[in-house]
Amino acid sequence: MAVRVVRGVGARARSGLHARRVRGVLRRGRARAAEHQGALAVTVLLAAALIAPPAPQATAGGSRGGADGGFRTGVAAGCQTRADARHTDWTGMNFLGDVVCPHNLGAIRVQSTPQSTVNGQIAFAPSWFVCWKKGGSYQGKDIWYYTQADTVSGSKGAKGWGYLPAAEMQVSGHPVAGLKKCTWA
């Protein structure tokens, strides 16, 4: 009988130790799961912020309010100004500020003429533009917008930088209000 009692006590002691270990593992597992859920939530929020379209903010006019309660900034309809955006083109020229506008997908040209070599393609819209200049007439408009293409198809050295004609922009007027004139124009 004594042996049975010892075995029973030992088995109970072992099973109690096992239960405590299991509870500890489960507790640590829940804590790790909560950490992973927190990291996943942050990742989802960041991804949503990156893919969310810019808030419709801009229409011509330069005043706040109106019957529709909209916000008017003096920037062309559908465009958004980003004063702190920084870009460096293939020549090393730095740009502070840009305007993000809707446009048709199309070719970026090395120079601001329709005969110029295609340097890349804009595959996504809207896109940012750092400045504008006058150039050759394209579909009745002579304004061209300087930007960087999404893909490079011409000079690899120019890294896709070039001009999109005003006719491809989905804005109400040219040049886009709030966008600087290129210094070399």
Side-chain angles (χ1 to χ4, degrees), residues 15-31:
S15 67
L17 178 62
H18 177 71
R20 282 191 301 274
R21 284 184 182 158
V22 168
R23 283 192 299 270
V25 167
L26 289 175
R27 204 174 308 118
R28 285 189 300 276
R30 279 190 224 108

Side-chain angles (χ1 to χ4, degrees), residues 40-171:
L40 179 61
V42 168
T43 303
V44 168
L45 288 173
L46 287 174
L50 290 174
I51 62 172
Q57 115 186 35
T59 57
S63 64
R64 184 177 177 96
D68 61 352
F71 184 76
R72 298 168 193 255
T73 63
V75 178
C79 295
Q80 179 181 20
T81 302
R82 302 186 308 178
D84 294 333
R86 296 179 183 273
H87 305 281
T88 303
D89 74 1
W90 67 281
T91 68
M93 180 173 266
N94 294 308
F95 299 89
L96 177 59
D98 65 16
V99 174
V100 177
C101 294
H103 56 80
N104 299 325
L105 305 182
I108 296 297
R109 300 193 175 271
V110 175
Q111 297 295 324
S112 54
T113 67
Q115 299 80 23
S116 178
T117 305
V118 172
N119 199 32
Q121 298 290 322
I122 291 188
F124 306 98
S127 296
W128 51 264
F129 300 89
V130 294
C131 64
W132 65 272
K133 69 177 277 194
K134 286 194 174 232
S137 182
Y138 179 80
Q139 295 182 6
K141 295 178 173 68
D142 65 351
I143 301 291
W144 292 73
Y145 294 94
Y146 193 55
T147 189
Q148 187 175 26
D150 297 313
T151 62
V152 178
S153 59
S155 167
K156 302 294 184 211
K159 300 178 182 175
W161 280 88
Y163 299 91
L164 184 71
E168 298 299 332
M169 300 289 281
Q170 298 173 0
V171 297

Side-chain angles (χ1 to χ4, degrees), residues 3-17:
V3 173
R4 281 185 167 175
V5 172
V6 170
R7 283 187 184 168
V9 169
R12 262 189 240 133
R14 280 194 303 272
S15 67
L17 178 62

